[in-house]
Amino acid sequence: MLRPKLLSSISSINNFSRFRSMSFQKEIHSIKTIETIPSFRSWRRQFMKQDKQVAFVPTMGSLHEGHLKLVKLASEHCPIVVVSIFVNPAQFAPNEDLDKYPRTLSHDLELLRSLNCVDTVFLPKVKDIYPSGIPLEIEKQKGTFVEVKGKSHQLEGTTRPSFFRGVSTVVAKLFNIVQPDHVFFGQKDAQQCIVIRSLISDLHFPIEMHVGPTKREHDGLAMSSRNQYLTPEMRNYAITLYNALTTIKDELDKGKRNREILLSKGYEIVEEATQKVKEKNLGFELKLDYLSIADPTTLDELQEIEEGKGAIISGALFVGRTRVLDNLLFNCTL
């Protein structure tokens, strides 16, 4: 008969062995990168046979903590996690920053490896996603495109009329290739989330969509890949939009419901910052694109926010040439 101390020692050894095994498994977790559609489909097929659910986080790369939070959230829902990195030409207008958009693939892969939960990174080529080519001028484009009518023309769609056509098209293509069970998007792009929900529903994709909260810097600025365009001085004023939105939300929390009154508070914040930038002659300008208080389902602008109803408070602000986008939710979820 084994003595208690010996039993304890054996138990400790077994526990240590299991711990080493678990640690080793984590240590050797590697990320597979796949560039072609046939190769990805071949890899994906094994999990259909195993009946394992797949989570998908589509990105354009230049990853930051906001993306990583989404990936972590995805890993909590499914045993298999796929991240795509693809700078989608179809969502850029000819006068926008497609060529300058930050591409940091090596660093992105390093960040994803550090999470220790990503199974595959899909890195498709433009020629494979758009076999007919993809000139930025819509009138020159050939092939199949997806539009979500009624939720794409307002807000972001006013300034960027072809943006959601490009987003909807590439997302539909990626859904078809990846065939995920769950997909994950960030709240920072609230209108995009609403457009994609409609796309999933209207095209009958068997996918459950999840929206992760906006990840912010210490002062509240929403994390964005384009924030790296900002100089330190611009960065100081990029927070203006967030300040305007929080002011509007504070007024809503106090019980004010009239659109003009609410927006006027936000306009005051933006105007004050705009004047300061001019007075200091900082070499750039602040230019408000829009402030919005919209219905969370239809995206129609609200004149009065009825008691018990919700709203999306959103806006866009040019800081120099960099466009800062943000939103806050009032009594609603995406």
Side-chain angles (χ1 to χ4, degrees):
M1 182 174 178
L2 293 174
R3 295 179 180 177
K5 285 188 176 180
L6 184 55
L7 282 170
S8 176
S9 298
I10 292 173
S11 176
S12 297
I13 290 170
N14 289 337
N15 288 338
F16 179 67
S17 297
R18 282 194 294 271
F19 173 76
R20 283 192 62 190
S21 176
M22 291 170 61
S23 300
F24 183 67
Q25 287 174 4
K26 285 187 175 184
E27 187 177 314
I28 65 171
H29 184 98
S30 60
I31 297 178
K32 185 179 185 67
T33 57
I34 301 177
E35 296 186 2
T36 70
I37 295 171
S39 295
F40 184 89
R41 283 181 166 154
S42 176
W43 175 85
R44 174 69 177 88
R45 201 170 295 121
Q46 64 184 305
F47 302 111
M48 294 177 183
K49 295 176 181 177
Q50 297 170 14
D51 199 27
K52 287 185 177 179
Q53 294 217 323
V54 171
F56 178 42
V57 184
T59 81
M60 292 214 302
S62 188
L63 304 182
H64 51 70
E65 188 61 31
H67 295 109
L68 302 187
K69 288 288 186 182
L70 279 182
V71 174
K72 291 176 186 175
L73 182 63
S75 71
E76 294 170 5
H77 282 77
C78 296
I80 307 300
V81 176
V82 175
V83 176
S84 67
I85 297 177
F86 179 69
V87 180
N88 176 35
Q91 66 194 63
F92 289 81
N95 63 334
E96 292 182 338
D97 59 341
L98 174 59
D99 292 337
K100 295 180 180 178
Y101 191 85
R103 292 162 172 83
T104 56
L105 180 58
S106 296
H107 183 59
D108 292 345
L109 292 176
E110 185 179 322
L111 288 175
L112 293 174
R113 286 191 189 99
S114 73
L115 296 180
N116 208 26
C117 66
V118 178
D119 296 275
T120 290
V121 180
F122 182 42
L123 304 168
K125 305 295 186 185
V126 172
K127 64 181 178 61
D128 293 328
I129 296 295
Y130 298 103
S132 300
I134 186 68
L136 300 187
E137 300 85 354
I138 287 182
E139 61 275 11
K140 296 180 181 179
Q141 293 174 357
K142 298 178 181 179
T144 303
F145 294 85
V146 178
E147 291 186 84
V148 178
K149 297 289 190 180
K151 296 178 181 177
S152 299
H153 67 279
Q154 60 275 73
L155 303 175
E156 288 298 288
T158 302
T159 301
R160 308 179 71 189
S162 62
F163 175 72
F164 287 116
R165 178 178 182 268
V167 169
S168 300
T169 298
V170 79
V171 166
K173 287 172 180 276
L174 290 171
F175 284 175
N176 185 39
I177 297 164
V178 176
Q179 297 186 42
D181 300 286
H182 297 259
V183 293
F184 296 80
F185 291 86
Q187 181 196 314
K188 186 184 80 70
D189 301 298
Q191 186 177 6
Q192 175 175 276
C193 291
I194 292 169
V195 167
I196 299 303
R197 276 201 188 280
S198 291
L199 181 148
I200 290 172
S201 175
D202 292 347
L203 297 185
H204 305 288
F205 282 110
I207 296 171
E208 183 175 343
M209 180 173 165
H210 306 263
V211 178
T214 301
K215 180 67 178 175
R216 299 185 178 279
E217 303 285 359
H218 64 92
D219 57 357
L221 180 68
M223 289 187 176
S224 169
S225 299
R226 287 186 170 95
N227 285 353
Q228 59 191 277
Y229 295 160
L230 300 170
T231 66
E233 198 68 66
M234 289 175 176
R235 173 64 182 78
N236 291 335
Y237 286 93
I239 195 64
T240 299
L241 178 61
Y242 175 69
N243 291 340
L245 299 181
T246 53
T247 298
I248 293 171
K249 188 174 185 297
D250 288 344
E251 294 299 308
L252 276 165
D253 289 335
K254 293 175 184 176
K256 294 183 181 178
R257 294 290 183 267
N258 180 267
R259 173 186 180 81
E260 280 68 31
I261 293 174
L262 292 167
L263 288 180
S264 68
K265 301 294 184 180
Y267 291 141
E268 287 175 10
I269 298 293
V270 175
E271 182 59 27
E272 181 181 348
T274 300
Q275 290 304 317
K276 284 184 180 179
V277 169
K278 286 182 179 178
E279 290 168 5
K280 292 183 178 181
N281 195 25
L282 296 175
F284 65 92
E285 293 182 348
L286 294 186
K287 181 183 177 183
L288 182 65
D289 191 350
Y290 68 87
L291 287 178
S292 165
I293 304 174
D295 183 280
T297 302
T298 65
L299 292 179
D300 293 336
E301 293 295 324
L302 297 172
Q303 297 304 314
E304 292 284 337
I305 295 83
E306 297 178 19
E307 199 65 36
K309 299 291 185 179
I312 299 174
I313 311 156
S314 66
L317 175 73
F318 285 98
V319 184
R321 294 184 178 181
T322 302
R323 192 165 176 272
V324 176
L325 176 71
D326 203 352
N327 69 83
L328 296 174
L329 303 181
F330 175 74
N331 283 350
C332 67
T333 57
L334 294 179

